[in-house]
Amino acid sequence: MSIKAGVVGAAGFAGIEAVRLLLSHPSFELRAITSSELAHTPLSEVYPAFEGVTDLRFVSHDDPSLAQCDVVFLAVPHTAALETAPEFIERGVTVIDLSADFRLKDPAAYEAWYKVPHTQTKLLARAAFGLPELTGGELQRAADQQKQGTPALVACAGCYPTATSLAAAPAVRAGFVRPDAPIVVDAISGVTGAGKKATQRTHFCFADQNVEAYGVGTHRHAPEIEQILQAPGRVVFTPHLAPLGRGLLSTVTLQLTPDAPRDIQAYIELYRNSYKESPFVAVLDAGKQPRTASVAGTNRAHIGLALSEPAHVLVATGAIDNLGKGAAGQAVQCANIVFGLPQDAGLAGVALSV
Amino acid sequence: MSIKAGVVGAAGFAGIEAVRLLLSHPSFELRAITSSELAHTPLSEVYPAFEGVTDLRFVSHDDPSLAQCDVVFLAVPHTAALETAPEFIERGVTVIDLSADFRLKDPAAYEAWYKVPHTQTKLLARAAFGLPELTGGELQRAADQQKQGTPALVACAGCYPTATSLAAAPAVRAGFVRPDAPIVVDAISGVTGAGKKATQRTHFCFADQNVEAYGVGTHRHAPEIEQILQAPGRVVFTPHLAPLGRGLLSTVTLQLTPDAPRDIQAYIELYRNSYKESPFVAVLDAGKQPRTASVAGTNRAHIGLALSEPAHVLVATGAIDNLGKGAAGQAVQCANIVFGLPQDAGLAGVALSV
Amino acid sequence: MSIKAGVVGAAGFAGIEAVRLLLSHPSFELRAITSSELAHTPLSEVYPAFEGVTDLRFVSHDDPSLAQCDVVFLAVPHTAALETAPEFIERGVTVIDLSADFRLKDPAAYEAWYKVPHTQTKLLARAAFGLPELTGGELQRAADQQKQGTPALVACAGCYPTATSLAAAPAVRAGFVRPDAPIVVDAISGVTGAGKKATQRTHFCFADQNVEAYGVGTHRHAPEIEQILQAPGRVVFTPHLAPLGRGLLSTVTLQLTPDAPRDIQAYIELYRNSYKESPFVAVLDAGKQPRTASVAGTNRAHIGLALSEPAHVLVATGAIDNLGKGAAGQAVQCANIVFGLPQDAGLAGVALSV
Amino acid sequence: MSIKAGVVGAAGFAGIEAVRLLLSHPSFELRAITSSELAHTPLSEVYPAFEGVTDLRFVSHDDPSLAQCDVVFLAVPHTAALETAPEFIERGVTVIDLSADFRLKDPAAYEAWYKVPHTQTKLLARAAFGLPELTGGELQRAADQQKQGTPALVACAGCYPTATSLAAAPAVRAGFVRPDAPIVVDAISGVTGAGKKATQRTHFCFADQNVEAYGVGTHRHAPEIEQILQAPGRVVFTPHLAPLGRGLLSTVTLQLTPDAPRDIQAYIELYRNSYKESPFVAVLDAGKQPRTASVAGTNRAHIGLALSEPAHVLVATGAIDNLGKGAAGQAVQCANIVFGLPQDAGLAGVALSV
């Protein structure tokens, strides 16, 4: 089976990673890659990794080849998907959206955080949230509809919410976390997370040899995490930028209920059980901590768990590649599910060990 | 005035930074640098930055030149200072200790965390804790004694405790922090923090492009932070390693009392007032976050403050150079105070902007 | 077809990259990975990238499973292969040697540069030199013999010789280079080239933010380059270490004969023609220079060409991944050829664009 | 003595380093720092390293405070100094020019390489070339004139020419180098060398983990090197970009005359003798190679020498900080000389060892 695929916004970091994954995917056939600025330019001119590999050129966003696709991946800035997604859906094209536009179930929350009205509330209502390990039900429903001819719309989870929720959800869902206490999320991202735009912030000479926090108390991924964990108003989210390219580590501090286990092994078993169906999530042994380098370039997530006593707190850490499981990898995984493929089709790669 | 100084354990990372600072200090004269492994080797052979600058050679720990010093800086592993410090003190030599041996006021805490008996409890009782901005009184007493001929023993604060406490103390001391809630400290250190020993952990190919947590719930700096903040059992401390050389950022999440201000400006003023006598601490404007690169190679600390509502939490961030304000710089600052010099003598350097 | 493969010395950097490639190879089946130090340890404990991917454990070098392999990859220090290779060959096992032991055709040259006698001159005489784009004939003969039951011994080219020779050979072979002039090779390698051993040299804090030359006039890859280019005594080789993990760039300055073309396009066509059968080598357009990042993690090589007038010199640059085309990738490519597989089987990967 | 100084173009990388050096200089008093884009902005807002250190603000290029300076440092793009320098000189202000506008003695060469007419040939004729270790005579004449009231104009050497010439000049001047052979210069610069402008080239995600050559055969520093070494048409210059902030290493391959010594010690003595008056240049022992990290943040240069036989070639390597000895440090050194100060005034700093 060959499913015709397109990537809209293919020149950005998430987009180009989707292109890389789709070019070697056994079931998707990449037909169109768009970029408004780079239309007509060969892919290999912009990204020389593809030199000698493909003759693909960027096309404009309205290129007719897109309409012939079975599925499009939207790697566009937020609000842009609000316009683009409905057009594809109407034409019967499945949409895997990497933007934030269809993530927050509550349009009011979207409007509060993104400062624009949500113009597609109907579509929003039927969008599936794409974090397969935690929202598998929604994706299965989308897959069923897809089978019956209704094109799916998947709103893939953001990078920070993915790492954070994979690290926190099993404990929260098991009722081990105090429902009245803040959930403290301190996360660290590589510079690819800041995007392709050349700014002082992403300049090598300012980003290298530096660590800093940013968006403290105001980052738009906070409500997304709260939605997944069903913990409204409780997430205290502080992202940090560190001098590496790919990689995201989320350190989640969860205050436990008095009754929650005081033995780390109990949590490890709980987590392993939660993720036993996922080929991508590995829960490490007690005493080990995940390394972002060990998942870079892949769709994998490594989870570490430790107790901090006497405060009776669980420190759960989740490492992913922000462009992999945090963006393009997850998008392909969601597309696999929607189209009834094995969820790891084209995603079996292992990180470089060095 | 020329004060004769020696550095014991000068070949390690904190030691060599002390050497660099003392060589250009206006009042200290560096007479002896020791290393058991490198005795007799020229300094410039081990650290070529000193090529053409000095003819100093390493000597062994028991070199007679040490005994003629007015002050020694101990940059030795913990437990080693337990043996060394008393010998110097007995001979009338002031000791600035960069190790952990005299930091914890309670010998039982030392023994619990360091797994060895504290054999110098008498000396411990009169040691001054060296974090001048927060323990100025102890250092002033030490300076007074020094003036009267009693050699001071200063136990300089560790790197994580320094950044963390500078970020947290004013709010905690002002009573704005809930006394029943955990204090969550997620901190990130550059690889110099892991020391000079070549290991897989410090290998470029494993450290670069990687972020990971370590020592979760078990790091020995936790009790030190609890002592400074007077918050026994409440600190949840998770250190992380990031791919930069120098630099440490501590992100402290403080749950506020219901009555604590909800206006960030109140905290900024509180902090600026707390540090108004310190030439080294800068509290940034609201909306700004400290960059470790902006304090690298210096004895400075930058503090950032932000509120996260509705959780009513203060996120305080502190950036230092772990080898500067977190080790050798702080040691020189303490020595300045003890000897009645301006506290910024030899420490006025500004970080490279790029 | 499933060809049983083993990797001897699998815990080193070249070894583990061979493991990664073989684990996802369509025709080789990885049966044994050896490490004297790590025997019995699970692969994923040493290299967590394999967490959840494979249950393979390291075995000792003399594990019986090795003898049942059809092919072994030797990723061992030089001189070790002198002992190991003959044993495998005698047992009918094909040997793909990543060490230097069978590279220099002249045993005297080996002895002069490696300071040990070459004890396997008979085997040396029939070893094929493994740099398929330039020594395809030797490899084809080895493949023919293999087909007839004589196990091949391939001595894979070193990392610097690979990048350098790919950049220099077409011009040299075309007679455009002055036969009396030195060939100046200045090459830059990432730190993976320095190997897995933790030393001061590979310590993050010494390797990062630093560039230095090493082994000037004495590096053992010089005679290997001279052998490939048939330029005895003419190669002036200066390798450099730069702060990146993977990647090697060789800049070769070739003094041209007076008759050699003065139009860069002539060289570009010559090179493209030379490499037209290779799926891995891309010769860039005039004005472009290869980026090591664009070939990292792959078996690809990018070549850039520029003229420097009036000196009438060709500056040819070659970028490879030192662990890919410079080691494990090339080894797998050679094995593919020897076993009659498509030479890019299992090697089609494209570098991460960011 | 307090000499009033200004920096024009203070917000760029060379400019801000000049600011840092002048702020702590014992004899210069920094009165004005200009930036057309950032006029009125506090220095510490753009470069937070100065937070709490100074209240200086950027002013526009025509701010009256500049006219009251005794000396201005021009850290402006080439061609801009052609306009600015004469105005200052006319007003009696000494000019230390970091741009390329007054470096090439031959206006025709300037016009050929910079594609603009040289409109200040009269001024050019009396400009001193600023590379004190090699052009000390010119600078001394400028100092003499300055003493007599004629404001000096110093054209500071570029970064690549500085490292290259320091490494090559003693051998060339001693007549050991074949006058008919090319001088091959392969140099590696950190990303600060690419300037402050945020581009794809300086984006962390493209610059990190990458090495590449650029400007092969066309870089404007080639004629400058040829001028210093008096080797017209013979320099083959290939610069490379590597993933570090500060640091420049130039590897110069010099073909020796048959009569030139074959003992490395002869060269080392020659070089040490050549630089015996310079506090900044260290010639390393045989077998050692300079590390850029050991001179980063300083005005120092480390030189390494090695012979490559049988090709009878000297490989000379020079390491500097491109923003230090390669730009702002050298400018301050030249200003020191012109104003009759010790040439290392304000420049005695030693690199961080880690």
Side-chain angles (χ1 to χ4, degrees):
Chain A
M1 179 178 65
S2 174
I3 304 165
K4 293 187 287 293
V7 176
V8 178
F13 285 176
I16 197 64
E17 179 69 351
V19 167
R20 186 182 72 91
L21 292 172
L22 293 169
L23 274 175
S24 66
H25 195 285
S27 299
F28 292 109
E29 183 193 344
L30 187 58
R31 286 289 185 89
I33 58 174
T34 85
S35 163
S36 47
E37 286 177 28
L38 296 165
H40 311 307
T41 311
L43 171 56
S44 65
E45 199 166 307
V46 185
Y47 289 112
F50 296 98
E51 190 79 46
V53 174
T54 173
D55 292 331
L56 263 181
R57 286 169 180 266
F58 291 102
V59 296
S60 62
H61 290 333
D62 57 358
D63 194 84
S65 61
L66 272 179
Q68 296 155 21
C69 289
D70 300 306
V71 57
V72 293
F73 294 80
L74 301 185
V76 294
H78 74 86
T79 76
L82 279 184
E83 286 187 37
T84 313
E87 297 172 15
F88 284 111
I89 294 288
E90 275 163 37
R91 281 185 265 162
V93 181
T94 300
V95 172
I96 309 292
D97 183 14
L98 285 80
S99 88
D101 287 350
F102 295 91
R103 289 181 191 154
L104 298 180
K105 303 287 188 191
D106 177 3
Y110 180 83
E111 292 172 9
W113 284 89
Y114 291 86
K115 314 292 181 202
V116 288
H118 200 298
T119 55
Q120 300 292 335
T121 52
K122 214 163 172 182
L123 211 49
L124 175 60
R126 79 168 188 77
F129 190 84
L131 207 179
E133 288 77 8
L134 298 178
T135 63
E138 293 187 37
L139 288 162
Q140 199 45 58
R141 273 193 298 282
D144 293 345
Q145 293 171 353
Q146 177 82 24
K147 220 172 186 173
Q148 292 155 15
T150 307
L153 167 58
V154 179
C156 299
C159 54
Y160 286 121
T162 296
T164 302
S165 304
L166 288 174
V172 171
R173 292 183 176 181
F176 290 158
V177 176
R178 283 178 44 187
D180 58 332
I183 293 174
V184 178
V185 180
D186 284 323
I188 307 170
S189 171
V191 186
T192 52
K196 191 193 178 189
K197 198 174 172 193
T199 64
Q200 177 153 331
R201 186 184 178 67
T202 61
H203 194 299
F204 181 89
C205 301
F206 294 106
D208 196 37
Q209 296 295 313
N210 186 49
V211 168
E212 63 182 287
Y214 66 97
V216 186
T218 65
H219 197 287
R220 288 160 169 173
H221 281 175
E224 198 177 322
I225 300 169
E226 293 182 344
Q227 172 179 293
I228 303 172
L229 299 181
Q230 300 186 18
R234 285 170 52 208
V235 168
V236 178
F237 174 49
T238 305
H240 300 74
L241 198 64
L244 66 164
R246 284 163 169 249
L248 188 159
L249 183 77
S250 186
T251 297
V252 190
T253 303
L254 298 161
Q255 298 180 41
L256 300 170
T257 61
D259 295 346
R262 284 164 198 271
D263 171 14
I264 191 61
Q265 212 52 42
Y267 297 91
I268 289 175
E269 280 161 31
L270 166 70
Y271 275 65
R272 286 188 174 157
N273 202 49
S274 299
Y275 296 126
K276 67 173 185 288
E277 305 294 342
S278 172
F280 298 117
V281 180
V283 179
L284 304 186
D285 289 341
K288 290 191 184 171
Q289 284 292 326
R291 307 171 71 250
T292 61
S294 297
V295 295
T298 78
N299 194 48
R300 300 177 189 281
H302 286 184
I303 308 288
L305 298 168
L307 287 170
S308 183
E309 301 289 1
H312 199 39
V313 151
L314 178 70
V315 179
T317 47
I320 62 169
D321 180 332
N322 51 303
L323 296 181
K325 181 65 180 165
Q330 183 143 276
V332 171
Q333 183 185 1
C334 290
N336 285 342
I337 292 170
V338 162
F339 284 94
L341 304 168
Q343 64 172 310
D344 61 351
L347 296 172
V350 172
L352 300 177
S353 282
V354 287
Chain B
M1 179 178 63
S2 174
I3 304 165
K4 293 187 287 295
V7 176
V8 178
F13 285 176
I16 197 64
E17 179 69 351
V19 167
R20 186 183 73 91
L21 291 172
L22 292 169
L23 274 175
S24 66
H25 195 284
S27 299
F28 292 110
E29 184 193 345
L30 187 58
R31 286 290 186 89
I33 59 174
T34 85
S35 164
S36 47
E37 287 177 26
L38 296 166
H40 312 306
T41 311
L43 171 55
S44 64
E45 200 164 307
V46 186
Y47 289 112
F50 295 99
E51 189 79 47
V53 174
T54 173
D55 291 332
L56 265 180
R57 284 169 182 269
F58 290 102
V59 297
S60 64
H61 291 332
D62 57 358
D63 193 85
S65 61
L66 272 180
Q68 295 155 22
C69 289
D70 300 306
V71 58
V72 293
F73 295 80
L74 302 185
V76 295
H78 74 88
T79 75
L82 278 185
E83 286 187 37
T84 313
E87 296 173 16
F88 283 110
I89 293 288
E90 273 163 39
R91 281 186 264 164
V93 180
T94 300
V95 171
I96 309 293
D97 183 15
L98 284 81
S99 88
D101 286 350
F102 294 92
R103 289 181 193 156
L104 298 180
K105 303 287 187 192
D106 177 4
Y110 180 84
E111 293 172 9
W113 284 89
Y114 291 86
K115 313 291 180 202
V116 290
H118 200 297
T119 55
Q120 301 292 335
T121 51
K122 216 166 173 178
L123 211 49
L124 175 60
R126 80 167 187 80
F129 190 83
L131 206 178
E133 288 77 8
L134 298 177
T135 63
E138 292 186 39
L139 288 164
Q140 199 44 58
R141 273 194 299 282
D144 294 344
Q145 291 171 356
Q146 177 82 22
K147 220 174 186 173
Q148 292 155 18
T150 307
L153 167 58
V154 179
C156 299
C159 53
Y160 286 121
T162 295
T164 303
S165 304
L166 288 174
V172 171
R173 291 183 176 180
F176 290 157
V177 176
R178 283 180 43 187
D180 58 332
I183 292 174
V184 178
V185 180
D186 284 323
I188 308 168
S189 171
V191 186
T192 53
K196 189 192 178 190
K197 198 174 172 193
T199 63
Q200 177 153 333
R201 185 186 181 64
T202 61
H203 194 300
F204 181 89
C205 302
F206 294 107
D208 196 37
Q209 295 297 312
N210 186 47
V211 169
E212 63 183 287
Y214 68 98
V216 186
T218 64
H219 197 287
R220 287 161 170 173
H221 281 176
E224 198 177 322
I225 298 168
E226 294 183 343
Q227 173 179 291
I228 303 172
L229 299 182
Q230 299 188 19
R234 286 170 51 208
V235 169
V236 178
F237 175 48
T238 305
H240 301 74
L241 198 63
L244 66 165
R246 285 162 168 248
L248 188 159
L249 184 76
S250 185
T251 297
V252 190
T253 303
L254 299 161
Q255 298 180 41
L256 299 170
T257 61
D259 295 345
R262 284 163 197 270
D263 171 15
I264 191 61
Q265 211 52 41
Y267 297 92
I268 290 176
E269 279 161 31
L270 166 71
Y271 275 65
R272 286 188 174 158
N273 202 47
S274 299
Y275 295 127
K276 67 174 185 288
E277 304 294 342
S278 172
F280 298 115
V281 180
V283 179
L284 305 186
D285 290 340
K288 290 190 184 172
Q289 283 293 326
R291 306 171 70 249
T292 61
S294 298
V295 295
T298 79
N299 194 48
R300 301 177 188 280
H302 286 184
I303 308 288
L305 297 168
L307 286 170
S308 184
E309 301 289 2
H312 200 37
V313 151
L314 179 70
V315 179
T317 48
I320 62 169
D321 180 334
N322 50 304
L323 296 181
K325 182 65 180 165
Q330 184 144 273
V332 171
Q333 183 185 1
C334 290
N336 284 341
I337 292 170
V338 162
F339 284 94
L341 304 169
Q343 65 173 310
D344 62 351
L347 295 173
V350 173
L352 300 177
S353 282
V354 286
Chain C
M1 179 179 63
S2 174
I3 305 164
K4 294 187 287 293
V7 177
V8 178
F13 285 176
I16 197 63
E17 178 68 351
V19 168
R20 186 182 72 91
L21 291 171
L22 292 169
L23 275 175
S24 66
H25 196 284
S27 299
F28 293 109
E29 183 194 346
L30 188 58
R31 285 291 185 89
I33 59 174
T34 86
S35 163
S36 48
E37 287 177 27
L38 295 166
H40 310 307
T41 311
L43 171 56
S44 64
E45 198 165 309
V46 186
Y47 289 112
F50 296 99
E51 190 80 47
V53 174
T54 173
D55 292 330
L56 265 180
R57 286 169 180 266
F58 290 102
V59 297
S60 63
H61 289 332
D62 57 359
D63 194 84
S65 61
L66 272 180
Q68 295 155 22
C69 288
D70 301 306
V71 58
V72 292
F73 294 80
L74 302 186
V76 295
H78 73 87
T79 77
L82 279 185
E83 286 187 36
T84 313
E87 296 172 16
F88 284 111
I89 293 288
E90 274 162 38
R91 281 185 264 162
V93 180
T94 299
V95 172
I96 309 292
D97 182 14
L98 285 80
S99 89
D101 286 351
F102 295 91
R103 290 181 191 155
L104 298 180
K105 303 287 187 190
D106 178 3
Y110 181 84
E111 292 172 9
W113 284 89
Y114 292 87
K115 313 292 177 201
V116 289
H118 199 298
T119 55
Q120 300 292 334
T121 53
K122 216 165 172 178
L123 211 49
L124 176 61
R126 80 167 187 79
F129 190 84
L131 206 177
E133 287 78 7
L134 298 177
T135 64
E138 293 186 38
L139 288 163
Q140 198 44 57
R141 274 193 299 281
D144 293 344
Q145 292 170 355
Q146 177 82 22
K147 220 172 185 173
Q148 291 155 16
T150 308
L153 167 57
V154 179
C156 300
C159 53
Y160 286 121
T162 296
T164 302
S165 305
L166 289 174
V172 171
R173 292 183 177 181
F176 290 158
V177 176
R178 281 179 45 186
D180 58 331
I183 293 174
V184 178
V185 180
D186 285 322
I188 308 168
S189 172
V191 186
T192 52
K196 190 193 178 188
K197 198 174 173 194
T199 63
Q200 177 152 332
R201 186 186 181 64
T202 60
H203 194 300
F204 182 89
C205 301
F206 294 107
D208 195 37
Q209 295 296 313
N210 186 49
V211 169
E212 63 183 288
Y214 67 97
V216 185
T218 64
H219 197 285
R220 287 160 169 173
H221 281 175
E224 198 177 324
I225 299 169
E226 293 183 344
Q227 173 179 292
I228 303 171
L229 299 181
Q230 299 187 17
R234 285 169 53 209
V235 168
V236 179
F237 175 48
T238 305
H240 300 74
L241 198 65
L244 65 165
R246 286 162 167 247
L248 189 159
L249 183 76
S250 186
T251 298
V252 190
T253 302
L254 299 162
Q255 298 180 41
L256 299 170
T257 60
D259 295 343
R262 283 162 199 272
D263 171 16
I264 191 62
Q265 211 53 39
Y267 297 91
I268 290 175
E269 279 161 32
L270 166 69
Y271 275 65
R272 287 189 173 156
N273 202 47
S274 299
Y275 296 127
K276 67 175 185 288
E277 305 294 340
S278 172
F280 298 116
V281 180
V283 179
L284 305 186
D285 288 341
K288 290 191 185 171
Q289 284 293 327
R291 307 171 71 249
T292 61
S294 298
V295 295
T298 78
N299 194 49
R300 300 177 188 280
H302 286 183
I303 308 289
L305 298 168
L307 287 169
S308 183
E309 301 290 1
H312 200 38
V313 152
L314 178 70
V315 179
T317 46
I320 62 169
D321 180 332
N322 50 304
L323 296 181
K325 181 65 181 165
Q330 184 143 273
V332 171
Q333 183 185 1
C334 290
N336 285 342
I337 293 170
V338 162
F339 284 95
L341 305 168
Q343 64 172 309
D344 61 351
L347 295 173
V350 172
L352 300 177
S353 283
V354 288
Chain D
M1 180 177 63
S2 174
I3 304 165
K4 294 186 287 293
V7 176
V8 178
F13 286 176
I16 197 65
E17 179 68 352
V19 167
R20 185 183 73 90
L21 292 171
L22 292 168
L23 275 175
S24 65
H25 195 285
S27 299
F28 292 109
E29 183 194 345
L30 188 58
R31 285 291 184 89
I33 59 174
T34 84
S35 163
S36 46
E37 286 178 27
L38 296 165
H40 312 306
T41 311
L43 171 55
S44 64
E45 198 164 308
V46 185
Y47 289 112
F50 296 99
E51 189 80 46
V53 174
T54 172
D55 291 332
L56 264 180
R57 286 170 180 266
F58 290 103
V59 296
S60 63
H61 289 333
D62 57 358
D63 194 84
S65 61
L66 272 179
Q68 294 155 21
C69 289
D70 300 307
V71 57
V72 293
F73 293 80
L74 302 185
V76 294
H78 74 85
T79 78
L82 278 185
E83 285 186 37
T84 314
E87 297 172 15
F88 283 111
I89 293 288
E90 274 164 38
R91 280 186 264 163
V93 181
T94 300
V95 171
I96 309 293
D97 182 15
L98 285 80
S99 89
D101 286 351
F102 295 92
R103 289 180 192 156
L104 297 180
K105 302 288 187 189
D106 178 3
Y110 180 84
E111 292 171 10
W113 284 88
Y114 291 87
K115 313 292 180 201
V116 289
H118 199 299
T119 55
Q120 300 292 336
T121 52
K122 217 165 171 178
L123 211 48
L124 175 61
R126 80 167 188 76
F129 191 84
L131 205 178
E133 287 78 8
L134 298 178
T135 63
E138 292 186 39
L139 288 163
Q140 198 43 58
R141 272 193 299 283
D144 293 345
Q145 292 171 355
Q146 176 83 23
K147 220 174 185 172
Q148 292 155 15
T150 307
L153 167 58
V154 179
C156 299
C159 53
Y160 286 120
T162 295
T164 302
S165 304
L166 289 174
V172 171
R173 291 183 177 181
F176 290 158
V177 176
R178 282 179 46 187
D180 59 330
I183 294 174
V184 178
V185 180
D186 283 324
I188 308 169
S189 171
V191 187
T192 52
K196 191 194 178 188
K197 197 173 173 195
T199 63
Q200 177 153 332
R201 187 184 179 66
T202 61
H203 194 300
F204 182 90
C205 301
F206 295 106
D208 196 37
Q209 296 295 314
N210 186 47
V211 169
E212 64 183 286
Y214 67 97
V216 185
T218 64
H219 197 285
R220 288 161 168 171
H221 281 176
E224 198 177 322
I225 299 169
E226 293 183 343
Q227 173 179 291
I228 304 172
L229 299 181
Q230 299 186 17
R234 286 169 52 208
V235 169
V236 179
F237 175 49
T238 305
H240 301 73
L241 198 64
L244 66 164
R246 284 163 169 249
L248 188 160
L249 183 77
S250 185
T251 297
V252 190
T253 303
L254 299 161
Q255 298 180 41
L256 299 171
T257 61
D259 295 345
R262 283 163 198 273
D263 171 14
I264 191 61
Q265 212 51 42
Y267 297 92
I268 290 175
E269 279 161 32
L270 167 70
Y271 274 66
R272 287 189 173 156
N273 202 48
S274 298
Y275 296 127
K276 66 173 186 289
E277 306 294 341
S278 173
F280 298 116
V281 180
V283 179
L284 305 186
D285 288 342
K288 291 191 183 171
Q289 283 293 326
R291 307 171 71 250
T292 60
S294 297
V295 295
T298 79
N299 194 49
R300 300 177 189 281
H302 285 184
I303 309 288
L305 298 167
L307 287 169
S308 183
E309 301 289 2
H312 199 37
V313 151
L314 178 70
V315 179
T317 46
I320 62 170
D321 180 333
N322 50 303
L323 296 182
K325 182 64 180 165
Q330 183 143 274
V332 171
Q333 184 185 0
C334 290
N336 285 342
I337 292 170
V338 162
F339 284 95
L341 305 168
Q343 65 172 309
D344 62 350
L347 295 172
V350 172
L352 301 176
S353 282
V354 287

